[in-house]
């Protein structure tokens, strides 16, 4: 009897110690969303019904979603001011490997800029998004995670005799720590003129219509024969950035979402309107590439003149 009593006391103390240990090894997470607009689309609305993070040990932890996310036009977000979409308080410290999002069917709608037509927008009902590189929650601190939605690269238009819709290509998504390295810079009017751009129109976001900076992984490729967007192609851009007019006149700027540390190549295009992610388009004109390094943290400035 005395043995059972002692074992009970030990178990109780162990449980208290475990509870105390867990409480003192917790941190917070804030989840943000940034977007790059798709050239021919003026509006995109998506509904997220659930957000979860997976700890390296395997457990899933649900985040609390912000209200009214479905009312935000994701084509008009300022990439320098990401949208806060969810948070989690007091989750275990350590490394988190996957962000899992759940969407309704359809997930939302998109509106074309040219015709005003509205189309259902779909994505897999449950999407497991890898977090790269490593993302960790630290005891007593708040860690911020970003989900970049690059619509220019990942929002594809499908049309057949049965259905017409837009689809966010889930296989192309990844999340990254908010404080990872970034690339930004200014672009001169002459740099765009060298491409003989067909349009100089500015959108309601003050972005140059169809104009983007494309970002490629530097694999030693030729800088004067860079590829257009094509889903799944190794030579395709990893990310895009819209080109936005500044208040100074004849000058533009661009900002990329955070990227993993490494070597990259930048190139300009004015042909975003014809660059469809589902097939190769040899008429998409690109400038000669510029090699650039992205640091683990901080910002790299590359001006294009």
């Amino acid at each position: 009897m005395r043995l059972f009593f002692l074992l009970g006391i030990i178990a109780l103390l162990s449980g208290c110690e475990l509870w105390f240990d867990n409480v003192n090894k917790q941190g917070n997470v804030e989840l943000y969303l940034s977007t790059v607009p798709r050239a021919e689309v003026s509006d995109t609305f998506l509904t997220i019904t659930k957000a979860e993070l997976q700890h390296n040990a395997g457990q899933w932890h649900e985040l609390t979603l912000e209200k009214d996310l479905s009312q935000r036009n994701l084509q008009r977000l300022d990439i320098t001011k990401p949208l806060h979409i969810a948070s989690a308080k007091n989750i275990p410290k350590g490394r988190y490997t996957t962000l899992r999002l759940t969407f309704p069917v359809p997930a939302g709608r998109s509106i074309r800029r040219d015709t005003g037509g509205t189309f259902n927008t779909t994505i897999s009902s449950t999407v497991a998004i890898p977090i790269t590189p490593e993302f960790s929650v630290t005891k007593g601190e708040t860690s911020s995670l970003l989900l970049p939605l690059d619509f220019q690269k990942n929002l594809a238009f499908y049309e057949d005799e049965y259905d017409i819709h837009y689809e966010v290509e889930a296989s192309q998504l990844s999340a990254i720590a908010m404080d990872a390295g970034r690339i930004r810079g200014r672009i001169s009017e002459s740099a765009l003129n060298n491409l003989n751009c067909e349009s100089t129109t500015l959108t309601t976001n003050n972005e140059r219509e169809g104009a983007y900076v494309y970002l490629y992984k530097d694999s030693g490729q030729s800088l004067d024969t860079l590829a257009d967007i094509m889903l799944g192609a190794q030579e395709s851009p990893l990310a895009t950035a819209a080109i936005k007019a500044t208040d100074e006149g004849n000058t533009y700027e661009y900002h990329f979402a955070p990227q993993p540390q490494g070597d990259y190549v930048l190139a300009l295009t004015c042909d975003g309107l014809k660059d469809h992610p589902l097939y190769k388009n040899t008429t998409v004109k690109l400038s000669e590439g510029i090699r650039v390094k992205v640091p683990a943290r901080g910002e790299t400035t590359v001006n294009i003149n």
Side-chain angles (χ1 to χ4, degrees), residues 17 108-109 126 167-168 176 188 191 234 242 245 253 261 268 279 303:
E17 182 180 359
R109 69 188 193 279
T126 301
E167 183 168 339
V168 180
I176 190 168
S188 68
Q234 189 172 1
E253 63 183 2
Q261 181 180 13
L268 296 180
Y279 56 84
N303 297 324

Side-chain angles (χ1 to χ4, degrees), residues 2-304:
R2 185 176 299 173
L3 178 60
F4 286 120
F5 178 75
L6 289 174
L7 289 174
I9 293 296
I10 291 170
L12 180 62
L13 291 175
S14 297
C16 290
E17 182 180 359
L18 181 61
W19 174 85
F20 181 81
D21 193 47
N22 284 340
V23 166
N24 283 273
K25 289 185 176 180
Q26 294 176 338
N28 305 323
V29 172
E30 303 292 342
L31 178 62
Y32 293 85
L33 175 71
S34 70
T35 62
V36 179
R38 176 73 205 161
E40 80 278 8
V41 177
S42 64
D43 303 71
T44 294
F45 301 90
L46 293 175
T47 297
I48 302 172
T49 57
K50 191 174 185 179
E52 302 164 278
L53 282 174
Q54 186 178 35
H55 192 275
N56 189 46
Q59 306 96 332
W60 287 95
H61 300 273
E62 187 170 354
L63 287 73
T64 301
L65 290 165
E66 292 284 349
K67 297 179 180 179
D68 301 325
L69 290 178
S70 62
Q71 305 303 311
R72 294 297 301 266
N73 182 358
L74 300 183
Q75 291 283 345
R76 298 188 184 182
L77 297 185
D78 185 338
I79 195 162
T80 65
K81 300 174 183 177
L83 176 66
H84 182 264
I85 63 171
S87 60
K89 305 296 184 183
N90 300 322
I91 63 173
K93 74 170 190 177
R95 187 162 66 92
Y96 286 78
T97 59
T98 308
L99 169 66
R100 186 164 66 188
L101 299 179
T102 303
F103 299 88
V105 181
R109 69 188 193 279
S110 293
I111 302 174
R112 287 183 67 98
R113 193 186 307 279
D114 51 357
T115 64
T118 299
F119 302 90
N120 283 339
T121 300
T122 65
I123 188 172
S124 301
S125 58
T126 301
V127 182
I129 302 168
I131 303 173
T132 55
E134 184 174 304
F135 175 75
S136 295
V137 172
T138 304
K139 169 187 170 182
E141 297 184 6
T142 297
S143 301
S144 296
L145 183 68
L146 179 71
L147 174 61
L149 283 183
D150 190 337
F151 288 137
Q152 176 62 10
K153 177 177 179 285
N154 299 332
L155 185 63
F157 186 64
Y158 287 83
E159 182 176 9
D160 58 35
E161 58 181 313
Y162 302 106
D163 187 29
I164 303 175
H165 70 278
Y166 276 95
E167 183 168 339
V168 180
E169 300 292 343
S171 64
Q172 303 295 303
L173 301 180
S174 64
I176 190 168
M178 279 275 284
D179 61 355
R182 300 170 182 257
I183 309 172
R184 64 175 297 276
R186 293 291 185 101
I187 300 171
S188 68
E189 183 77 45
S190 61
L192 291 171
N193 289 341
N194 290 338
L195 293 171
N196 297 316
C197 300
E198 296 178 5
S199 174
T200 59
T201 302
L202 295 180
T203 70
T204 52
N205 290 355
N206 216 30
E207 294 153 351
R208 178 85 171 244
E209 186 178 56
Y212 293 85
V213 184
Y214 285 178
L215 183 71
Y216 304 80
K217 188 66 178 176
D218 187 355
S219 58
Q221 69 269 53
S222 173
L223 296 179
D224 57 359
T225 56
L226 296 169
D228 63 321
I229 295 171
M230 192 165 61
L231 287 173
Q234 189 172 1
E235 68 274 17
S236 182
L238 297 173
T240 74
I243 295 175
K244 189 172 184 177
T246 68
D247 296 330
E248 300 172 11
N250 298 324
T251 305
Y252 299 85
E253 63 183 2
Y254 70 93
H255 296 263
F256 278 98
Q259 302 294 326
Q261 181 180 13
D263 297 326
Y264 296 88
V265 172
L266 299 175
L268 296 180
T269 186
C270 291
D271 288 336
L273 281 167
K274 63 175 73 171
D275 200 356
H276 196 290
L278 293 182
Y279 56 84
K280 187 171 183 61
N281 189 335
T282 56
T283 67
V284 173
K285 294 176 290 186
L286 290 153
S287 69
E288 183 173 337
I290 301 170
R291 288 194 158 91
V292 59
K293 291 182 179 293
V294 174
R297 299 287 185 273
E299 212 169 49
T300 295
T301 299
V302 181
N303 297 324
I304 305 173

